[in-house]
Amino acid sequence: MVTAAFIIFGLAAIVSAIMVISFRNPMASAIALIVTLCSIAGLFAIMGATFVAALQVIVYAGAIMVLFLFVIMLLNLKRDEFGPEKRKIQRTLGIILGLLLVLEVGIFIQAGLGDFGPSPAGDKGSFTSITELSSLLFTKYLFAFEVTSLLLLVAIVGAVILAKKKL
Amino acid sequence: MPVPLGYYLGLAAIIFTVGVIGVLVRRNAIIILMSIELMLNGANLTLVAFSVHLQELSGQVFVFLVMTVAAAEAAVGLAIIVMIFRNRESVNVDNLNIMKW
Amino acid sequence: MSIPIPSINIGAILPEIILIATAFVIIFVELFAPKRWRLGIPIICFAGLLAGFYAVGSLWGETIFAFGESVTSDNFALFFKFIFLLGALLVTLISVDYLKREGIYHAEYFFLILLSTVGMMIMASSLDLISIFLGLEVMSIALYVLAGFNRTDPRSNEASLKYFLIGAFASGFLLYGIALLYGNFHTTNLGEIFALLSGQESLSIIGLIGIVLVLIGFFFKVAFVPFHMWVPDVYQGAPTSVTAFMSAGPKAAGFAVLLRIVIYAFNTSSPEFTNLLWIVAVVTMSVGNIVAIAQNNLKRMLAYSSIAHAGYVLVAVVAGGPVGTSAAMFYLLVYTLMNVGAFSILIVFGKRGEDNLNFSDYAGLASKYPLGALAMTLFMLSLAGIPPTAGFVGKFYVFSAAVSQGYVTLAVIGVLNSLISVYYYIRVVVVMYMSAKPAEKFYFTYSVPAIIALIIAAWGTLQLGILPERWLSLAKDSIFSFLL
Amino acid sequence: MLDKVWLVLLFPLLGFLLNGLFGWKFKRGLINLIACGSVGLSFLVSLGVFLDLLKLAPEARHFEKVLFPWVVSGSFKTAFSFLVDPLSALMILVVSGVAFLIHIYSTGYMHDDPGYVRYFSYLNLFTFSMLLLVLADNLLLMYIGWEAVGLCSYLLIGFWYEKKSAADAGKKAFIVNRIGDFGFALGIMLTFVIFGTVYFTPILERAPEVLQYGGAAATAITLLLFLGAVGKSAQIPLYVWLPDAMEGPTPVSALIHAATMVTAGIYMVARLSALFLMAPVSMLVVAIVGGVTALYAASIGLMQNDIKRVLAYSTISQLGYMFLACGVGAFGAGIFHLMTHAFFKALLFLCAGSVMHALAGELNIQKMGGLKKHMPVTYWTFLMGTLAIAGIPGFSGFFSKDEIIWKAFSSAQGHFLLWFLGAAGALMTAFYMFRLLFLTFHGKSRLTPELEKRAHESPNKMTVPLIILAVLAVIGGYVGIPHLLGGGNRIEKFLEPSFGQVSKAVETHHSGGVELLMMIISVLIALGGVYLAYTFYIKKTELPKKLAERYRSIYTLIYNKYYVDEIYNAVIVQPLKFFAIICWRFFDVIVIDGSANGLAKLVGLIGNLIRRFETGYVRNYALGFVVGVVIILGYFMLR
């Protein structure tokens, strides 16, 4: 059951991710990205990280992607990459390097997995509790949490100053 | 029967790399930005997989924090793209090479 | 359910808090105060930075942990905070009239400068990789915006987008590396990683790839070859005051983290890292210097030169130990002074629209503005590492650290590189003093704050060159206690 | 006075600051007063220091003065501190004295120059830097002075920067010098690593224990340091900047490029004599480089027609002699020659300046001639200088140069071939100097009519320093009369404490008879050179014609004489000329200039190649990034 769900969500994530980078139309790419994000949320869920899965759907697929779609529509971008790719070598090299990268990382991970035991058995469903997560967030990671508030503040001010028509 | 850790990590590496390839091959700034989101998701998947495997919650807290980062980057990145679109009517990064060499 | 709140120890992050408070005051003045108050914003910013200096001074000498173990205020962090504050202070001074000249005088500029500085401080004082990452993002996002601050200038736009895309790309790698380290060590706290590592012999494979990716993330920030390619374009395109800012603080912040990671957490790791850093240092110095020779735009030349200088600092990092660490810190301080000084000259003699930046525009400057030319000469000589300037003491210290740790070849390559660099630095001096065809017109922005900044930078460059021992010993006092 | 030695430095520095910062508001008189007065005061203090030092017993003549600490970090310490011993005391006396005279001369020479204040502030800064270099008691402080004199030299060579050649020459000097400085800097670091200090006194004291005689460490340090000296003192192969440096004002050539700065390399080698003695290979290198340079530069000097260039090549050649002396362990002789050379070469340059002053900047000696009657003072002083440099007995150059040539032969590290290099160089020196003298001052005037009218003696401001220097050029040698001629060789006795055990290490083993013979040979060589020049540039051009008309009967005799000249010409001069042209045209211009410029071009080319990677396309940058990641990960995978 879990394995089947993993295969479904995993395949969906990979295929939609490849669609994100291969569609010409940005709108289609954005939709594909939403599919990827939701598939990953599904993966989180089957691992038992239900709270993160919910956040993934609400914040990522919900809020952030809406921002993307909004901008794409605002700029009315249908196809912006006119004309043939002039630097074919860039594309070829890009794909080759990407494959090399995944090969290297894969070999490293494969070789390093021996250090990890098999997954601990146990009821995954009860693993994530919002209480534990939030108590961690407000104790051990309080500082990081506070820094995110700064981060958002900077982003808001920055986005406003750059995108506002008249200052 | 739980799925082994390695599968999750491999899947995460693939998604990460798809994002990397996207940055390298696409010319549309918005799609490049989306590819970067893919990379972040690959990292997030790794974090959660480890967190669950190690039965240690920090990884999931990180995912929460990384989402904030993604949101902030998206906001600023899209603002930059809007600004450039206003000046040049294009978001094709291959049109941006006034400065070189 | 009661949550056990850890000891927060808010005093440890006093400098950060002061700067954040100042930033808020600035934004409130901008939003709610009468229009004419806006002219006072740089003064508020300046006062806040001075208060920051005071806070750094008052915390000096103690090692305090805050927020559990995730933040520390040790001398190492404070020394770097001093560098960040110095960079921010000088940039605030040179920005005032520059922003007016370019027509981009907005309160948000100072707000972003302050928060970017806070981001750097978080990087320098955090012990947790995740809060280091967040600090990096705070710093970078503010910088992306600042690079595009001149919204109507296509070059500024371009710089902003390039910086943003490559920066976010690098963040992805950094984050992936942190994720792998987390998986390997079950924690991202550098102190705990250090404790774990000192127990075992070598890194496991996942930890290795994790640390490599994390290092690459910071290699990007401090611009080592081949992660440097954004630097020339971004430096050239960004408003000059922002370029000055970028070249000082963020670079130092990147090195602060590199030093923490390489020397603090992973000091037991294998010699492969040393070899890697060795090669990167050589390539970085050489590429930076050789390409700088071929430049005609001063800002671009300084961009390549900043790449080369990152290489010199890396030489000290490779040397490691107490000598190397303190040499790197001292060099970063010196670099901040002389580089911001050089950019200040470009600002003072720049023309609206960022045009007056080619070598030929400075031909014969000495005859019209002898003091300006003299100051520029001082900064160029210092960048080239010629005594009695600070740059010489810095380089001497860096290279003798390398020699004393047995990296003689590296030091020789470094000195050879600084020999090459003389060519393009001295070219500036030659153009200013010995040009048969002077430029038709010089542009001079009379700006009292910028002149104050120039005096501070020039004085510091000389002071650290003639009497460096006080600051050298401060840098010595700032190295990690276990190195002593 | 010894305690106040820092005053020597303070005055020129003050002069520089006053004139440099406020000079544009000052009147001429005040500028002159500040510029010359500061150096004059500095000279007086130097004199006081010197006399105080003389009062002490020879072994007690060693005094260190710490002004304030400079770099203190861990084991590494340096301070702004000065070392007064016979060597440095003699040097500050020479430097400040010659500098003072040249400052006075300059007030006349630069009279009409628009950059008057700039000139004098640079000159004061130079004096300060040179004195700093000499007085430093540690390598790092010396390095500061070293770089600062380089900077001043560069600023002054390019003083008339409107001329492209001047600006280029300045740049060339700076860059070529940096190559030497690179070696010097590495040498300092290596010294620090090995000795744990950069102070001269402990280094020299501990050199015999710390270093192994002839060991790799000793050789490496000394060769690196010598590379610095080669750059600064314009030896093969880094001498190319010095002839070009003549683009600067002539008093600058006299002060910086003849009397003081270019001798810094010799001073450094002499200062570190104990180190060099631990490395016989380096000593041999020093001697060979010095000897070959001495001959090589002299041969180029034979064919030059530019008055300043002849003197420039002559300077290179004379510096070669000093290195030759150091290389055979005769450091005292080297410093002695440094001193006499400072007098007569400064004099010769100033005379050349005086000639240029009179002839509106004319430099070509083929267009001069007969100036003797127009400028008698210049002529007579120039003659004194020429006699001194040619090594005519009784003049200063004789004593010092003869000492060097003798030591090159007789010292334990000497060799007949080294002696030959020196002796052949001496022949050429005498020849080209007298050729210069004859072509410039003797014979029929070849001046254009306007210049003929214009030609006049220089003002007193210029001639008085000439006379003083001429006197010094004549009598300067009497402090070092060798034992053989009944003198006590006082100067080498005086310098002995600075060189410690050195002088014993290179004790000579030859009898007085050999020394006398060699001295006679060298006198004959000098006279031979003079005679050759005389025949060529006085007799050949004029006597043959006159005699042929008046005394037809003895014409054949003169004809025969002339015939001998032809033989001389064929046997000596033509080969020499050929050699000189090869050296100058081929080696100098093509090989050395070519490789220096070629290197710069190559670096520029590589730079242009690499910058093409900076395409401006952000995706290419990302590609570069990933290449880096893949390579680094691959490196860790394959390790």
Side-chain angles (χ1 to χ4, degrees), chain D residues 272-334:
Chain D
L272 295 168
S273 52
L275 270 185
F276 276 83
L277 282 177
M278 296 304 293
V281 179
S282 307
M283 288 291 274
L284 191 64
V285 171
V286 174
I288 291 174
V289 168
V292 171
T293 307
L295 181 65
Y296 171 82
S299 72
I300 295 178
L302 297 175
M303 301 312 303
Q304 299 293 319
N305 280 329
D306 178 321
I307 185 167
K308 283 181 76 179
R309 279 186 182 251
V310 176
L311 292 175
Y313 280 108
S314 153
T315 304
I316 298 173
S317 162
Q318 297 298 312
L319 292 167
Y321 278 106
M322 299 173 209
F323 276 114
L324 177 61
C326 294
V328 299
F331 297 100

Side-chain angles (χ1 to χ4, degrees), chain C residues 162 229 233 304 433 465-466, chain D residues 70 161 193 611 614 616 621:
Chain C
K162 282 179 177 174
M229 294 170 99
D233 291 2
Y304 281 106
Y433 280 89
I466 295 169
Chain D
W70 182 34
Y161 55 80
V193 169
R611 74 191 278 213
E614 259 338 286
Y621 300 174

Side-chain angles (χ1 to χ4, degrees), chain B residues 6 30 63 73 76:
Chain B
I30 291 190
V63 173
E73 277 186 355
V76 168

Side-chain angles (χ1 to χ4, degrees), chain C residues 239-311:
Chain C
T240 311
S241 61
V242 176
T243 311
F245 186 67
M246 283 197 284
S247 72
K251 190 163 281 229
F255 271 108
V257 177
L258 269 184
L259 284 167
R260 269 229 201 264
I261 292 178
V262 174
I263 293 172
Y264 183 86
F266 290 86
N267 67 336
T268 50
S269 66
S270 50
E272 280 120 30
F273 283 103
T274 320
N275 288 343
L276 172 71
L277 296 181
W278 196 101
I279 296 167
V280 171
V282 169
V283 177
T284 303
M285 287 187 289
S286 310
V287 169
N289 279 321
I290 291 174
V291 185
I293 287 182
Q295 299 302 322
N296 281 321
N297 182 298
L298 277 168
K299 252 165 110 179
R300 221 174 156 76
M301 182 275 272
L302 283 173
Y304 281 106
S305 119
S306 91
I307 295 171
H309 281 271

Side-chain angles (χ1 to χ4, degrees), chain B residues 56 73 87 98 100-101, chain C residues 137 151 157-158 182 300:
Chain B
E56 210 260 359
E73 277 186 355
N87 288 334
I98 316 172
K100 54 190 165 203
W101 297 327
Chain C
E137 286 296 323
R151 302 188 307 164
N157 290 174
E158 190 178 319
Y182 163 70
R300 221 174 156 76

Side-chain angles (χ1 to χ4, degrees), chain C residues 158 162 165-166 169-170 173 208-209 212-213 216 219-220 226-230 232-233 272-273 275-276 279-280 287 290-291 293-295 300 304 367 371 381 384-388 392-393 395-397 399-400 403-404 411-412 415-416 418-420 422-423 426-427 429-430 433-436 465-469 472-473 476, chain D residues 21 68-74 76 80 118 122 140 143-145 147-148 151 154-159 161-164 166-167 170-171 174-175 178-179 181-182 185-186 188-190 192-193 198 600 603-604 606-608 610-611 613-629 632-633 635-636 639:
Chain C
E158 190 178 319
K162 282 179 177 174
L165 288 179
I166 294 278
F169 188 58
F173 281 91
L208 179 75
I209 172 174
V212 168
L213 288 175
I216 285 172
F219 283 5
F220 162 81
F227 311 105
H228 70 291
M229 294 170 99
W230 57 281
D233 291 2
E272 280 120 30
F273 283 103
N275 288 343
L276 172 71
I279 296 167
V280 171
V287 169
I290 291 174
V291 185
I293 287 182
Q295 299 302 322
R300 221 174 156 76
Y304 281 106
S367 56
L371 281 176
L381 292 181
I386 291 166
F392 167 72
V393 179
K395 272 204 183 110
F396 184 83
Y397 204 48
F399 293 138
S400 45
V403 171
S404 71
V412 170
V415 178
L416 260 177
S418 68
L419 178 69
I420 297 176
V422 172
Y423 183 84
I426 226 65
R427 193 168 145 217
V429 182
V430 168
Y433 280 89
M434 305 180 177
S435 199
I466 295 169
L467 290 170
E469 101 279 353
L472 276 176
S473 60
K476 278 261 172 188
Chain D
L21 292 178
F68 54 87
W70 182 34
V71 184
V72 184
S73 59
F76 179 76
F80 268 94
R118 189 160 58 97
Y122 288 167
L140 210 57
Y143 187 70
I144 289 198
E147 289 287 348
L151 181 69
Y154 148 77
L155 287 172
L156 283 163
I157 293 170
F159 184 74
Y161 55 80
E162 303 85 6
K163 276 201 314 195
K164 186 178 182 309
K171 217 157 80 179
F174 200 80
I175 289 168
R178 286 297 291 183
I179 298 175
D181 297 348
F182 154 71
L186 283 178
I188 295 175
M189 285 178 202
L190 201 55
F192 173 65
V193 169
V198 289
V603 171
I606 298 173
N608 269 317
I610 299 180
R611 74 191 278 213
F613 284 105
E614 259 338 286
T615 51
Y617 296 111
V618 67
R619 297 189 304 146
N620 291 157
Y621 300 174
L623 195 72
F625 191 104
V626 179
V627 169
V629 176
I632 292 176
L633 284 180
Y635 165 79
F636 279 97
R639 82 206 138 103

